[in-house]
Every structure is written in C-alpha cells, then in structure tokens.
Amino acid sequence: MSRFWSEAVRGLSPYVPGEQPRHPRLLKLNTNESPYGPSPRALEAIAAIDGDSLRRYPDPDAVALRYCIAGHFGLAAEQVFVGNGSDEVLAHAFLGLLKQPRPLAFPEISYSFYPVWCGLYGIEAVRVPLDAALAVEVDAFPADCGGIILPNPNAPTGRLLGLPEIERLVARHGDCVVVVDEAYIDFGGRSAAALVGRYPNLLVVQTLSKSRALAGLRVGFALGDPALIEGLVRVKDSFNSYPLDVIAQRAAIAAFEDRAWFEDSCRRVVATRERVTGALEALGFSVLPSAANFVFARPPAGGAAPLFAALREEGIIVRYFDRPRISEYLRISIGTDEEMDRLLAAVEAWCAAAGAAAG
C-alpha cells in the first residue's frame, strides 16, 4: 500500500481473473475460452490491415461495426454500443445507468466483477438468493431496487433463465434499468435482444470472447434503447473516445459475417458439453444443467478441493471457488473432444483412487 494512493483505491478489492499460466502440456479449462479459434475470415481481415490504417486513429464511433451488429440482431445502429470487451461495456453501464439512489440487485452467486464495480463506483448492492437448485428466481428481486444486473446463463453455475422469464423480470421492473449479461447465450439460450424494441429499460450485453473466439482482441457490445446507449456513450467519451482499435473493429465485422463458422463452433461445443456431462454423471458427479461453454460439477463425497489439486498436478487447470454454497463444485470449461478425454481420464483415475482409499 502506497501513501500516494487515493482513498478510493485503498478501499478496493479488485477482481481476480482466472489463471493464465504457461506450461508446455497444460490443459487450460479455467477461463471459458473457445477451443477452436476465431473464424478464418477474421484472421484474414487482421492480415489485410496495412500500415496506413494503423497510423491513423480508429473510427471513434465504430460505425461499420455497429451497423454490422445491428443488422445481425434486426436493430438500428443507434441501439448498439461497442467497447473493449463486455467488461468495459458493463463498467460503463454501472457508472452511467446503475449508479442510482436505490440499491442495485444481482444474484448472490454471480459474476464476481459485479461487487468490484459497486466498490469502485460507490454503489450500494443487494444480493438476491438463488433457490435450492442454485437457479435464479425472478420473483426474488426486490421491487424497490435501483437497477438489476444478472448473467444469463448465470456464471459460474451455467443455469439459464428462459426468455419468458427474462421478459417477466424486465416488465416487472419498468422503473429501473435491467442489464442482462449474455456472455454465454450462444451456447444454449435465446438472446433477450429480441425484447430490446419493446422495453426501454432493457440493456443486453454480449461479447465476442467466447462464441466467436476473439478473447485476445477484447470486443464487447450492448444493445438497448437509444437513450440507454447515449448514456454509455457519454461515459465512454468522458473516459476514452477511441476504445476499439482498427484491428478489433475489422476482425469483429468479419467474425459476425462468418455465420457458418460461428454456428458450427457453437454446435461442437454444445455436443462436447453434453457428452462430458453424461460422463461425469456416470462417475457419480452432480452436474447442473448448463447452457454455457462450461459445466458446474460437484464431485462425489465433497471432493472439489482435492480434485482441483489433483488435476493441477496432472497439468489440468479448472476453476474452484472457495465460497459459500459453491465450494463443493468445480467449473470446467469445454475444450476439444481430445482435451476433454484427457480430463475425463484424469477424473476417472482420481475417483478410482478415492474409492480405493475409502474402501
């Protein structure tokens, strides 16, 4: 701690991202990245960028990308905001839309960046309990909150709220902004983007990091009423008016245009997820229903922490959350079929050893 820190910095508890270790045989299943890489057309767009493009500032309004995203969702460009990954977009939403006199509500088990932003911007928060099955309950959100944010599918559980339930939540809370964080929606759900035109209090946030495999470029976007989008733009232009570089803008457009690659990649991830879920359940795991590119699995006999350590010894990294209600679970990202076979072999060996020791 430095004596030069401001009081705001002294009180912060920053977000801790998943590990990014480097090891020649490492199987990295802890940060929900795509196992298949980006669209070839995105790579071609990157390769085609010349020096003249790089010596100039990028379009501060990312007009071409916003029109591309708008066309994909059947919206107008004025209903689209883009930024450096969905985390930056969400941070702008916290400051520009969710910092209100009344508390912000979000699920008690949710994306762990939410309380960090609350601390950064001085936002009072109320955490809404999940039900016994770790599912979000729409009716549990308080009527007098100043805003609502929730991931759908939820993180780290992977559980999905159907579109009718999302619409019921948005309609019931028409006097505050409802932000639906859809980082994983492409792996099993229907986007709330279909509701944007009907609800001026709805903001839908997505990312190209997961289903379009552009985590290294940092591209995220929000969809909402033009008045909400203007609020985000006002924050952006008071912070960094050139958030998305030329490379990111052009690669993102190419990724959206390659719909066949996108759909095939998502299909492969979903198929592998279902296979892995069945294999883990056959080994005695309890696996929550997932609509994401990961599974949230509880090993038999309270073995989450020991299994996490054992997998690490084998060079396999998954995510363990030592927090109330979820400390018995591991979050396992979906990799290629070959990678998941390696994981399952290690898990099966651990289960056999644990069973022999218990017997």
Side-chain angles (χ1 to χ4, degrees):
M1 182 177 293
S2 169
R3 63 188 179 90
F4 299 111
W5 286 2
S6 70
E7 284 302 313
V9 170
R10 289 174 186 271
L12 291 180
S13 297
Y15 171 73
V16 179
E19 294 179 84
Q20 295 284 0
R22 286 163 177 77
H23 185 282
R25 288 198 67 250
L26 181 72
L27 176 49
K28 190 171 173 298
L29 303 175
N30 67 325
T31 48
N32 304 333
E33 294 150 328
S34 168
Y36 298 117
S39 158
R41 289 171 64 173
L43 297 178
E44 291 168 4
I46 293 171
I49 294 171
D50 58 17
D52 194 54
S53 298
L54 293 178
R55 75 179 180 85
R56 300 180 185 277
Y57 283 109
D59 175 6
D61 298 317
V63 171
L65 176 56
R66 287 171 46 233
Y67 269 98
C68 174
I69 295 172
H72 180 82
F73 289 99
L75 299 171
E78 293 75 20
Q79 294 171 293
V80 180
F81 175 87
V82 297
N84 278 300
S86 60
D87 283 343
E88 181 181 77
V89 175
L90 289 167
H92 290 346
F94 267 73
L95 181 59
L97 304 174
L98 300 177
K99 183 177 172 61
Q100 301 292 343
R102 293 179 295 172
L104 170 67
F106 52 80
E108 61 167 332
I109 298 167
S110 185
Y111 186 25
S112 54
F113 222 142
Y114 297 164
V116 174
W117 284 314
C118 286
L120 178 62
Y121 296 126
I123 300 172
E124 182 183 356
V126 56
R127 303 188 188 219
V128 179
L130 302 185
D131 70 12
L134 297 180
V136 173
E137 288 190 289
V138 167
D139 294 335
F141 284 87
D144 61 345
C145 57
I148 293 172
I149 184 168
L150 74 160
N152 193 47
N154 196 14
T157 66
R159 298 200 69 133
L160 178 75
L161 274 180
L163 192 59
E165 287 293 281
I166 292 293
E167 182 168 15
R168 191 158 67 88
L169 177 69
V170 175
R172 287 186 61 189
H173 296 272
D175 61 341
C176 71
V177 173
V178 177
V179 178
V180 183
D181 182 358
E182 293 187 339
Y184 305 104
I185 197 67
D186 295 323
F187 300 105
R190 293 173 59 202
S191 173
L195 306 176
V196 163
R198 301 206 297 272
Y199 296 95
N201 64 319
L202 171 63
L203 190 78
V204 178
V205 178
Q206 290 195 15
T207 176
L208 276 70
S209 295
K210 313 298 184 185
S211 58
R212 289 182 171 81
L214 290 175
L217 277 188
R218 316 306 302 127
V219 182
F221 60 94
L223 309 171
D225 186 85
L228 296 185
I229 299 303
E230 183 182 354
L232 300 180
V233 172
R234 288 173 68 87
V235 174
K236 173 185 80 74
D237 288 346
S238 301
F239 175 75
N240 174 16
S241 56
Y242 294 97
L244 271 185
D245 61 54
V246 170
I247 299 172
Q249 291 187 36
R250 294 190 187 176
I253 291 171
F256 265 105
E257 290 175 343
D258 195 350
R259 192 174 190 91
W261 175 91
F262 161 74
E263 291 177 349
D264 181 64
S265 177
C266 290
R267 179 192 57 77
R268 294 167 70 187
V269 168
V270 170
T272 303
R273 181 190 72 206
E274 297 309 299
R275 180 176 72 85
V276 169
T277 295
L280 290 174
E281 289 176 338
L283 291 171
F285 282 64
S286 174
V287 185
L288 295 186
S290 175
N293 65 338
F294 59 83
V295 294
F296 204 52
R298 184 176 64 197
L307 177 55
F308 171 75
L311 290 173
R312 192 181 185 87
E313 288 294 317
E314 296 294 324
I316 302 172
I317 309 295
V318 297
R319 196 78 189 266
Y320 173 62
F321 300 90
D322 189 10
R323 289 158 43 190
R325 297 197 67 188
I326 59 172
S327 60
E328 296 181 358
Y329 289 82
L330 296 176
R331 193 192 70 189
I332 304 169
S333 303
I334 299 301
T336 64
D337 281 316
E338 293 76 15
E339 290 172 334
M340 302 316 287
D341 286 342
R342 179 180 164 191
L343 167 84
L344 291 170
V347 169
E348 185 173 3
W350 178 85
C351 288

